[in-house]
Amino acid sequence: MQILREQWNDLAGRFHPVSAPDYLPAAQLREMQLQRLQAVTSRAYERVPLSRRRMDELGVVPSDIRSLEDIAKLPFTMKSDLRDSYPFGLFASPINEVVRVHASSGTTGKPTVVAYTREDIEVWTAVMARTFAACGLHRGDIVQNAYGYGLFTGGLGAHYGAEALGTTVIPISGGNTDRQIMIMKDFGVTAICCTPSYFLHLVERAEEQGIDLRKLPIRAGIFGAEPWTEAMRLRVENLAGIKGYDIYGLSEIIGPGVASACSAQDGLHIFEDHFYPEIIDPVSGEVLPEGEEGELVLTTLSKRAMPMLRYRTRDITSIITEPCPCGRSIRRIRRIGRRSDDMFIIRGVNVFPSQVESALLEVEGTLPHYLIVLHREKDLDRMEVQVEVTPEVFSDKVKGLEQLQRRLNHALAKTLNLHVDVRLVEPHTLQRSEGKAKRVIDQRQL
Ligand code: DLL
């Protein structure tokens, strides 16, 4: 923390000392990763009974880790391991060294709990400061932090990082959209942090109030916490006259601050001095060659309170092998458009919600607010996509709506290879979320 506070960043927002680890020469980075991997493996083995048991079962001891490739010898950690050890079973630090806990809401039953020592908070702060720097923010920026504060990691994670970088933070948290718009306008906000779906809601509400965000000083959106498509990024950038940066993270690893887009807006740089990425085949668990698409597995290299060895994120991506034009040497992953567990199967066809989003955005006249409803009719699976139309289209003649429906049917059939029932709904009928959007309702009794 001390070091960060003493650091300055140049107003051009390009290179500054906060971001120095982003530019480490590859050989130096690999060496640092190996040392940290050896240390974290020992820590987990010595202090976390589950890690020791799993390693014993595989006949692996920490001294077997002699190269980075040896990581493949270690056991995976899964979400269910956190649930089964609820609440504090995976802590590697005594509670008097744990200065913070967060928890994910958990759709079924108990939440999953994660812990931080003071050193962990410092690392988190540093990677979030590097995130904001990569998104072009600097001292003098006024940052509206609309990620939720509380057990969710988004609010406090972004808060500490933005403060450490020297920006002015408005800790507004999520919700109360009218107040968000008032503050954005009155305080001359230059950047906002929230989920992309919430930002879309905010733009729409501002428009209703006759406020055009393109005329306000806001120039950047630091968006993440849910999958969103490249088409959605372009739409949002256009509507609000901003640049939309994709940021990625998950509570089990640290929260936001695992990976971030940069000025090139092409993939997300992983802060791999702290989080070691692997891509595996989600079915066999085998490590895939660099560049291939599969499930992202992350190992925390410096986490003290709750080290994670080979955590299976379920997020699908690939590592980009080409160097980035921004000059950072840390590797990039592709935008995460889907999770291995958000796929559903309709009449034998695999469908991801992100494919639906891309198809809808190809067609003019709809708002990117949509909901997928799955149901069963006479033993046959049906998929309905409810999509809001723009007010202009809605007030149009029936003929226009029919044409739009046909175009959407066609775009969806082309992308999914599947007939989908499209239901056009009035603007504002689908529920808006203040955080992560819910895109699928499955009413089939499987
Ligand atoms: O969502 C942490 C976060 C907060 C990230 C704010 C970015 C900004 P969890 O609630 O544990 O943590 O959810 C983690 O959300 O495994 C992904 O499936 C998804 N996710 C997060 N960021 C992105 C993104 C936070 N940029 C889960 N693109 C992850 C796609 C994302 N999915």
Side-chain angles (χ1 to χ4, degrees), residues 144 172-184 209:
Q144 181 162 350
I172 191 164
S173 194
N176 203 339
T177 309
D178 286 352
R179 193 176 49 167
Q180 300 264 0
I181 294 165
M182 179 185 79
I183 292 215
M184 180 183 286
Q209 297 174 4

Side-chain angles (χ1 to χ4, degrees), residues 45-46 48-62 64 73-75:
Y45 190 75
E46 282 155 22
V48 184
L50 179 80
S51 300
R52 174 182 287 252
R53 205 173 62 236
R54 291 262 168 87
M55 283 171 65
D56 285 347
E57 278 163 15
L58 293 176
V60 195
V61 286
D64 288 333
K73 296 178 179 165
L74 295 174

Side-chain angles (χ1 to χ4, degrees), residues 82-327:
L82 277 90
R83 245 181 249 130
D84 296 346
S85 57
Y86 173 85
F88 297 166
L90 294 186
F91 289 11
S93 299
I95 199 74
N96 64 3
E97 286 173 20
V98 172
V99 298
R100 177 103 62 83
V101 291
H102 280 280
S104 79
S105 49
T107 38
T108 47
K110 303 272 194 209
T112 49
V113 181
V114 295
Y116 306 77
T117 63
R118 188 160 300 288
E119 295 93 328
D120 293 334
I121 297 282
E122 279 170 23
V123 168
W124 194 13
T125 302
V127 287
M128 278 310 289
R130 287 160 67 184
T131 293
F132 288 120
C135 300
L137 303 199
H138 45 67
R139 209 172 268 251
D141 267 312
I142 302 178
V143 179
Q144 181 162 350
N145 185 14
Y147 282 124
Y149 282 64
L151 285 178
F152 177 53
T153 53
L156 283 167
H159 183 107
Y160 275 54
E163 254 186 27
L165 189 65
T167 69
T168 306
V169 185
I170 307 168
I172 191 164
S173 194
N176 203 339
T177 309
D178 286 352
R179 193 176 49 167
Q180 300 264 0
I181 294 165
M182 179 185 79
I183 292 215
M184 180 183 286
K185 192 161 150 269
D186 295 349
F187 291 15
V189 164
T190 58
I192 186 162
C193 307
C194 60
T195 58
S197 57
Y198 184 62
F199 185 67
L200 199 66
H201 173 45
L202 207 139
V203 176
E204 189 179 61
R205 187 84 192 103
E207 211 174 86
E208 280 166 16
Q209 297 174 4
I211 297 168
D212 183 352
L213 294 195
R214 285 171 293 201
K215 302 209 170 101
L216 299 185
I218 183 159
R219 64 179 168 81
I222 317 300
F223 300 133
E226 64 184 8
W228 56 309
T229 57
E230 196 61 14
M232 179 75 104
R233 172 170 79 83
L234 297 172
R235 180 72 71 93
V236 163
E237 288 189 342
N238 242 322
L239 282 171
I242 61 166
K243 288 275 175 213
Y245 297 96
D246 193 7
I247 68 164
Y248 168 78
L250 58 165
S251 326
E252 293 83 347
I253 297 302
I254 201 149
V258 173
S260 170
C262 63
S263 57
Q265 290 183 295
D266 181 18
L268 296 84
H269 289 280
I270 291 218
F271 297 113
E272 53 173 331
D273 46 330
H274 295 295
F275 315 110
Y276 189 78
E278 295 170 273
I279 302 289
I280 64 159
D281 178 324
V283 180
S284 71
E286 289 298 311
V287 177
L288 294 174
E290 206 172 68
E292 277 188 34
E293 186 180 83
E295 179 181 337
L296 177 67
V297 169
L298 291 166
T299 297
T300 59
L301 295 176
S302 48
K303 231 356 198 4
R304 297 182 66 80
M306 214 168 122
M308 279 288 141
L309 300 183
R310 307 191 82 203
Y311 183 72
R312 293 193 56 163
T313 65
R314 304 280 166 199
D315 294 319
I316 305 290
T317 183
S318 58
I319 292 180
I320 300 179
T321 46
E322 297 83 45
C324 184
C326 82

Side-chain angles (χ1 to χ4, degrees), residues 3-69:
I3 305 168
L4 272 171
R5 252 189 243 122
E6 283 163 10
Q7 284 167 343
W8 53 273
N9 51 291
D10 83 37
L11 284 173
R14 286 188 300 267
F15 179 83
H16 41 69
V18 164
S19 310
D22 297 3
Y23 298 86
L24 281 179
Q28 201 180 326
L29 179 62
R30 299 286 164 251
E31 185 165 339
M32 177 195 271
Q33 286 175 323
L34 178 59
Q35 278 171 11
R36 289 182 174 178
L37 176 64
Q38 288 166 333
V40 81
T41 306
S42 298
R43 187 175 179 88
Y45 190 75
E46 282 155 22
R47 293 173 174 238
V48 184
L50 179 80
S51 300
R52 174 182 287 252
R53 205 173 62 236
R54 291 262 168 87
M55 283 171 65
D56 285 347
E57 278 163 15
L58 293 176
V60 195
V61 286
S63 58
D64 288 333
I65 306 300
R66 287 185 217 98
S67 70
L68 282 173
E69 288 69 44

